[in-house]
Amino acid sequence: MKQLAKSKTTIMTNKKVKICALTTISKTMDWFIVDSMRNLSKNGYEVTLICNMEEGFNERNEDYAHCINLPMSRGASLGDMIKMPWKLYKIFKKEQFDVIYYTTPNVSMYAAIAGVLAGVKCRFYNQCGLRYVSFEGKKRSVFKVIEKFTCILSTTIREQSPMNRQFAIDEGLCPAEKISVVGIGGTTGVELKSCDSFDATETKRTLRKKYGILENGFVFGYVGRVNADKGINELITAFCELQKQYDDIYLVLVGMIDDINPIKSENMKIAQENDHIFLIGNVPPSEVYPHMSMFDVLTHATYREGFGKVLQEAMGVRLPIITTNVPGPSEVVENGVSGILCNAMDAEDLKEKMKLIYTDKDLRTRIAKAGRERAEKYFDRPIMLNNILVDMNKTLGLD
């Protein structure tokens, strides 16, 4: 490891560091990666981005990065397992990257294999949560083996939270000296300046009018993929039970409907037919904070999470938070102080916490205030981006 750092220092004092960031789809790149890559570009790195790119991605990022569109599937694909490592190998050999920096399970495995074959010395795995933890039986075993394989082929692993790091070690995915956490956890944090750049009261009024939500109604909001692992089944069940007691509540789900890990068909039908549940779909990144402003509370019933960027975003816009007591989210918030924790996969407990936050205005105010203060201390984007830059420089022996 020392020799690697030494050789990298020699190479990188004479030219820009060539780094290639990879995710499976561009939405993940937008959400977790592009801000850190833009910052690395400002600090002497030559950046390439590879993913399955949606329309407009290249135009948004071509000012600082070389963008390579590589169509691939989000779900398990035997064809991709055969083709993608070879395609990436050819790119890596041609470009001679100093660092490949990969996130999300599928592309991480492909990139790790290709990186070894191409002789890339720094293979950096940004491990944003462990997909297999919500699986059972043979499926869990198979995906755990794949995860361990990716870890073995990687030279450096960054986990998103201390508890997830310890879990990875305890599971035997990698040795302790190979995996660490940047700061207290997370990825690119929350852009607090953007959170404060609009009139939240007026935006709340405008968006509620747009979607047909009563201005004085109480909105339980969610941002992220609408899928089973995010606890959407439990969230819909809990909301419908609570709706029997309170007729002024609404549930707003912002994000793509995930057909790879779908929610139960009966719950999707309820969501589509209940006139107090709104499936908003994806919104542009610039519209995430404004849409959050129309919520009264963020409800995040996830089964698993790397850390919980959306929780940091909610803190930034001064929202109280309900999330689950699992690694990642339970480390973003302090239970009873900057958030309320409930049991994962437990609709009844979730309903009780939703009722608590609905009926106690003072509690909502205290949690929202403490959450914003915590975001200012740890999660403001400039802080997080600098943490990533310092960590990358240290990894490469440039500190």
Side-chain angles (χ1 to χ4, degrees):
M1 196 65 187
K2 291 182 179 179
Q3 183 60 41
L4 170 62
K6 183 177 179 181
S7 65
K8 283 293 180 183
T9 302
T10 302
I11 292 171
M12 294 172 188
T13 53
N14 297 319
K15 65 181 181 68
K16 283 190 173 184
V17 182
K18 292 190 69 174
I19 184 169
C20 176
L22 305 99
T23 60
T24 306
I25 61 173
S26 58
K27 284 183 175 64
T28 307
M29 188 77 78
D30 279 329
W31 194 245
F32 294 109
I33 307 298
V34 295
D35 292 299
S36 58
M37 290 300 123
R38 188 181 290 274
N39 188 55
L40 290 179
S41 176
K42 292 176 182 177
N43 287 276
Y45 287 72
E46 182 181 323
V47 176
T48 295
L49 305 178
I50 297 179
C51 60
N52 188 351
M53 295 178 184
E54 65 179 5
E55 185 178 353
F57 180 87
N58 183 70
E59 290 74 16
R60 294 195 300 272
N61 295 283
E62 62 184 357
D63 61 312
Y64 72 94
H66 175 214
C67 298
I68 300 176
N69 182 28
L70 190 62
M72 66 186 102
S73 303
R74 279 190 58 232
S77 167
L78 181 59
D80 280 358
M81 290 180 68
I82 296 169
K83 294 183 296 184
M84 289 304 156
W86 174 244
K87 289 184 177 182
L88 289 173
Y89 166 78
K90 290 192 291 184
I91 295 171
F92 295 168
K93 286 296 286 187
K94 177 184 177 182
E95 298 294 337
Q96 294 293 297
F97 296 115
D98 300 301
V99 188
I100 52 173
Y101 180 94
Y102 37 88
T103 306
T104 67
N106 288 1
V107 80
S108 294
M109 181 181 67
Y110 310 148
I113 295 170
V116 170
L117 295 176
V120 180
K121 292 184 178 180
C122 184
R123 302 181 298 278
F124 197 114
Y125 184 17
N126 185 38
Q127 193 178 60
C128 287
L130 296 168
R131 176 172 55 177
Y132 76 84
V133 300
S134 60
F135 298 160
E136 296 179 350
K138 291 182 179 180
K139 185 178 180 181
R140 179 185 175 99
S141 299
V142 169
F143 279 86
K144 179 179 177 179
V145 168
I146 292 172
E147 188 68 39
K148 186 171 184 177
F149 182 62
T150 302
C151 291
I152 289 171
L153 297 183
S154 303
T155 60
T156 304
I157 304 171
R158 290 294 175 269
E159 187 51 82
Q160 297 307 298
S161 81
M163 288 176 67
N164 274 307
R165 173 184 178 271
Q166 190 59 51
F167 180 83
I169 295 168
D170 293 343
E171 286 281 281
L173 300 180
C174 59
E177 61 270 17
K178 197 175 189 178
I179 184 170
S180 61
V181 176
V182 178
I184 70 164
T187 52
T188 58
V190 52
E191 192 173 357
L192 294 179
K193 287 175 63 176
S194 294
C195 291
D196 299 334
S197 66
F198 60 94
D199 185 329
T201 301
E202 178 61 23
T203 301
K204 176 179 180 178
R205 186 192 66 79
T206 301
L207 286 176
R208 288 194 174 194
K209 183 178 180 180
K210 173 183 176 180
Y211 293 118
I213 299 170
L214 290 178
E215 189 172 344
N216 61 350
F218 190 95
V219 174
F220 293 95
Y222 166 85
V223 177
R225 291 194 182 99
V226 178
N227 69 21
D229 279 7
K230 294 296 183 180
I232 303 302
N233 287 310
E234 288 79 7
L235 179 54
I236 290 172
T237 298
F239 175 80
C240 290
E241 286 298 309
L242 199 62
Q243 194 180 16
K244 295 175 182 177
Q245 301 177 50
Y246 307 104
D247 61 6
D248 64 337
I249 64 173
Y250 296 83
L251 176 61
V252 175
L253 306 174
V254 178
M256 64 179 284
I257 296 174
D258 189 347
D259 57 2
I260 302 298
N261 180 28
I263 66 172
K264 296 176 181 177
S265 58
E266 57 265 35
N267 283 330
M268 179 56 70
K269 183 178 181 182
I270 289 170
Q272 292 169 337
E273 295 179 353
N274 188 322
D275 60 6
H276 279 228
I277 300 179
F278 293 81
L279 294 165
I280 302 298
N282 279 321
V283 298
S286 62
E287 288 297 311
V288 172
Y289 300 156
H291 274 74
M292 281 187 170
S293 72
M294 72 171 170
F295 302 167
D296 289 288
V297 57
L298 182 83
T299 43
H300 187 249
T302 186
Y303 299 173
R304 60 179 178 85
E305 204 76 27
F307 196 58
K309 182 181 177 184
V310 70
L311 303 179
Q312 300 160 55
E313 311 252 281
M315 289 174 166
V317 294
R318 297 175 171 83
L319 279 179
I321 293 167
I322 300 172
T323 190
T324 44
N325 189 17
V326 297
S330 66
E331 298 166 273
V332 178
V333 306
E334 301 162 289
N335 190 28
V337 179
S338 52
I340 299 293
L341 297 180
C342 66
N343 299 325
M345 306 182 189
D346 188 340
E348 180 62 27
D349 190 45
L350 175 60
K351 185 197 78 172
E352 290 304 314
K353 299 301 166 48
M354 291 168 70
K355 182 176 180 179
L356 172 65
I357 210 85
Y358 170 83
T359 57
D360 194 333
K361 183 178 180 180
D362 289 341
L363 177 64
R364 296 199 301 270
T365 301
R366 290 197 307 272
I367 289 176
K369 181 175 184 295
R372 173 65 188 222
E373 291 171 352
R374 186 166 171 81
E376 290 173 355
K377 183 176 182 179
Y378 294 113
F379 306 134
D380 195 9
R381 184 149 296 158
I383 296 172
M384 301 288 276
L385 295 183
N386 186 64
N387 287 344
I388 293 169
L389 172 64
V390 169
D391 179 67
M392 184 62 72
N393 286 343
K394 184 177 179 181
T395 299
L396 300 173
L398 299 175
D399 57 332

PDB file of all heavy atoms in Angstrom, residues 8 51 69 106 117 132 169 207 228 257 272 332 378:
ATOM      1  N   LYS A   8       2.111   6.691  -7.027  1.00  0.00           N
ATOM      2  CA  LYS A   8       1.081   7.619  -7.440  1.00  0.00           C
ATOM      3  C   LYS A   8       1.552   9.058  -7.268  1.00  0.00           C
ATOM      4  O   LYS A   8       1.300   9.912  -8.103  1.00  0.00           O
ATOM      5  CB  LYS A   8      -0.192   7.399  -6.618  1.00  0.00           C
ATOM      6  CG  LYS A   8      -0.984   6.185  -7.065  1.00  0.00           C
ATOM      7  CD  LYS A   8      -1.550   6.423  -8.441  1.00  0.00           C
ATOM      8  CE  LYS A   8      -2.344   5.199  -8.894  1.00  0.00           C
ATOM      9  NZ  LYS A   8      -2.846   5.364 -10.250  1.00  0.00           N
ATOM     10  N   CYS A  51     -21.849   5.956 -17.090  1.00  0.00           N
ATOM     11  CA  CYS A  51     -23.097   5.385 -16.590  1.00  0.00           C
ATOM     12  C   CYS A  51     -24.069   5.254 -17.758  1.00  0.00           C
ATOM     13  O   CYS A  51     -23.764   5.668 -18.881  1.00  0.00           O
ATOM     14  CB  CYS A  51     -23.712   6.251 -15.483  1.00  0.00           C
ATOM     15  SG  CYS A  51     -24.103   7.945 -15.997  1.00  0.00           S
ATOM     16  N   ASN A  69     -21.477   7.411 -22.258  1.00  0.00           N
ATOM     17  CA  ASN A  69     -22.744   6.720 -22.059  1.00  0.00           C
ATOM     18  C   ASN A  69     -22.536   5.224 -22.258  1.00  0.00           C
ATOM     19  O   ASN A  69     -22.085   4.779 -23.316  1.00  0.00           O
ATOM     20  CB  ASN A  69     -23.783   7.239 -23.047  1.00  0.00           C
ATOM     21  CG  ASN A  69     -25.144   6.578 -22.860  1.00  0.00           C
ATOM     22  OD1 ASN A  69     -25.483   6.155 -21.755  1.00  0.00           O
ATOM     23  ND2 ASN A  69     -25.903   6.480 -23.926  1.00  0.00           N
ATOM     24  N   ASN A 106     -24.052  -3.247  -9.309  1.00  0.00           N
ATOM     25  CA  ASN A 106     -23.776  -3.858 -10.609  1.00  0.00           C
ATOM     26  C   ASN A 106     -22.499  -3.330 -11.243  1.00  0.00           C
ATOM     27  O   ASN A 106     -21.585  -4.081 -11.559  1.00  0.00           O
ATOM     28  CB  ASN A 106     -24.965  -3.632 -11.565  1.00  0.00           C
ATOM     29  CG  ASN A 106     -26.174  -4.458 -11.191  1.00  0.00           C
ATOM     30  OD1 ASN A 106     -26.164  -5.190 -10.207  1.00  0.00           O
ATOM     31  ND2 ASN A 106     -27.230  -4.333 -11.961  1.00  0.00           N
ATOM     32  N   LEU A 117      -8.001  -6.314 -14.453  1.00  0.00           N
ATOM     33  CA  LEU A 117      -7.472  -6.770 -15.745  1.00  0.00           C
ATOM     34  C   LEU A 117      -6.699  -5.670 -16.461  1.00  0.00           C
ATOM     35  O   LEU A 117      -5.715  -5.936 -17.151  1.00  0.00           O
ATOM     36  CB  LEU A 117      -8.619  -7.267 -16.629  1.00  0.00           C
ATOM     37  CG  LEU A 117      -9.370  -8.504 -16.128  1.00  0.00           C
ATOM     38  CD1 LEU A 117     -10.545  -8.820 -17.046  1.00  0.00           C
ATOM     39  CD2 LEU A 117      -8.441  -9.706 -16.019  1.00  0.00           C
ATOM     40  N   TYR A 132     -27.739  -6.774  -0.330  1.00  0.00           N
ATOM     41  CA  TYR A 132     -28.170  -8.125   0.032  1.00  0.00           C
ATOM     42  C   TYR A 132     -28.789  -8.225   1.418  1.00  0.00           C
ATOM     43  O   TYR A 132     -29.440  -9.230   1.737  1.00  0.00           O
ATOM     44  CB  TYR A 132     -26.992  -9.111  -0.081  1.00  0.00           C
ATOM     45  CG  TYR A 132     -25.972  -9.050   1.028  1.00  0.00           C
ATOM     46  CD1 TYR A 132     -26.167  -9.748   2.221  1.00  0.00           C
ATOM     47  CD2 TYR A 132     -24.791  -8.327   0.890  1.00  0.00           C
ATOM     48  CE1 TYR A 132     -25.225  -9.713   3.238  1.00  0.00           C
ATOM     49  CE2 TYR A 132     -23.846  -8.295   1.898  1.00  0.00           C
ATOM     50  CZ  TYR A 132     -24.064  -8.980   3.067  1.00  0.00           C
ATOM     51  OH  TYR A 132     -23.132  -8.942   4.070  1.00  0.00           O
ATOM     52  N   ILE A 169     -17.389  -5.475   8.072  1.00  0.00           N
ATOM     53  CA  ILE A 169     -16.265  -6.207   8.670  1.00  0.00           C
ATOM     54  C   ILE A 169     -16.761  -7.494   9.327  1.00  0.00           C
ATOM     55  O   ILE A 169     -16.193  -8.575   9.130  1.00  0.00           O
ATOM     56  CB  ILE A 169     -15.535  -5.315   9.694  1.00  0.00           C
ATOM     57  CG1 ILE A 169     -14.876  -4.120   8.993  1.00  0.00           C
ATOM     58  CG2 ILE A 169     -14.484  -6.121  10.461  1.00  0.00           C
ATOM     59  CD1 ILE A 169     -14.389  -3.048   9.941  1.00  0.00           C
ATOM     60  N   LEU A 207     -47.098  24.788  -4.495  1.00  0.00           N
ATOM     61  CA  LEU A 207     -47.050  23.371  -4.869  1.00  0.00           C
ATOM     62  C   LEU A 207     -48.278  22.615  -4.368  1.00  0.00           C
ATOM     63  O   LEU A 207     -48.795  21.733  -5.055  1.00  0.00           O
ATOM     64  CB  LEU A 207     -45.771  22.726  -4.329  1.00  0.00           C
ATOM     65  CG  LEU A 207     -44.482  23.093  -5.073  1.00  0.00           C
ATOM     66  CD1 LEU A 207     -43.265  22.487  -4.390  1.00  0.00           C
ATOM     67  CD2 LEU A 207     -44.544  22.634  -6.528  1.00  0.00           C
ATOM     68  N   ALA A 228     -39.841  -1.546  -2.505  1.00  0.00           N
ATOM     69  CA  ALA A 228     -40.095  -2.291  -1.267  1.00  0.00           C
ATOM     70  C   ALA A 228     -39.040  -2.027  -0.210  1.00  0.00           C
ATOM     71  O   ALA A 228     -39.361  -1.866   0.978  1.00  0.00           O
ATOM     72  CB  ALA A 228     -40.176  -3.788  -1.572  1.00  0.00           C
ATOM     73  N   ILE A 257     -40.970   5.213  -9.715  1.00  0.00           N
ATOM     74  CA  ILE A 257     -41.542   3.917  -9.346  1.00  0.00           C
ATOM     75  C   ILE A 257     -40.583   2.834  -9.826  1.00  0.00           C
ATOM     76  O   ILE A 257     -40.289   2.738 -11.017  1.00  0.00           O
ATOM     77  CB  ILE A 257     -42.935   3.740  -9.955  1.00  0.00           C
ATOM     78  CG1 ILE A 257     -43.897   4.776  -9.375  1.00  0.00           C
ATOM     79  CG2 ILE A 257     -43.458   2.326  -9.694  1.00  0.00           C
ATOM     80  CD1 ILE A 257     -45.269   4.784 -10.012  1.00  0.00           C
ATOM     81  N   GLN A 272     -52.670   4.641  -6.057  1.00  0.00           N
ATOM     82  CA  GLN A 272     -53.217   5.250  -7.274  1.00  0.00           C
ATOM     83  C   GLN A 272     -54.672   5.676  -7.107  1.00  0.00           C
ATOM     84  O   GLN A 272     -55.127   6.613  -7.771  1.00  0.00           O
ATOM     85  CB  GLN A 272     -53.090   4.268  -8.444  1.00  0.00           C
ATOM     86  CG  GLN A 272     -51.645   4.013  -8.871  1.00  0.00           C
ATOM     87  CD  GLN A 272     -51.505   2.850  -9.838  1.00  0.00           C
ATOM     88  OE1 GLN A 272     -52.367   1.960  -9.879  1.00  0.00           O
ATOM     89  NE2 GLN A 272     -50.425   2.831 -10.608  1.00  0.00           N
ATOM     90  N   VAL A 332     -27.520   9.306  11.166  1.00  0.00           N
ATOM     91  CA  VAL A 332     -27.750  10.665  10.676  1.00  0.00           C
ATOM     92  C   VAL A 332     -28.481  11.476  11.734  1.00  0.00           C
ATOM     93  O   VAL A 332     -28.106  12.601  12.062  1.00  0.00           O
ATOM     94  CB  VAL A 332     -28.568  10.662   9.366  1.00  0.00           C
ATOM     95  CG1 VAL A 332     -28.842  12.101   8.909  1.00  0.00           C
ATOM     96  CG2 VAL A 332     -27.841   9.903   8.276  1.00  0.00           C
ATOM     97  N   TYR A 378     -22.344  19.291  10.381  1.00  0.00           N
ATOM     98  CA  TYR A 378     -21.705  18.130   9.772  1.00  0.00           C
ATOM     99  C   TYR A 378     -21.953  17.957   8.270  1.00  0.00           C
ATOM    100  O   TYR A 378     -21.104  17.387   7.577  1.00  0.00           O
ATOM    101  CB  TYR A 378     -22.194  16.847  10.464  1.00  0.00           C
ATOM    102  CG  TYR A 378     -21.777  16.713  11.898  1.00  0.00           C
ATOM    103  CD1 TYR A 378     -22.735  16.758  12.909  1.00  0.00           C
ATOM    104  CD2 TYR A 378     -20.440  16.527  12.253  1.00  0.00           C
ATOM    105  CE1 TYR A 378     -22.364  16.622  14.246  1.00  0.00           C
ATOM    106  CE2 TYR A 378     -20.068  16.398  13.579  1.00  0.00           C
ATOM    107  CZ  TYR A 378     -21.034  16.439  14.572  1.00  0.00           C
ATOM    108  OH  TYR A 378     -20.676  16.303  15.884  1.00  0.00           O
TER     109      TYR A 378
END
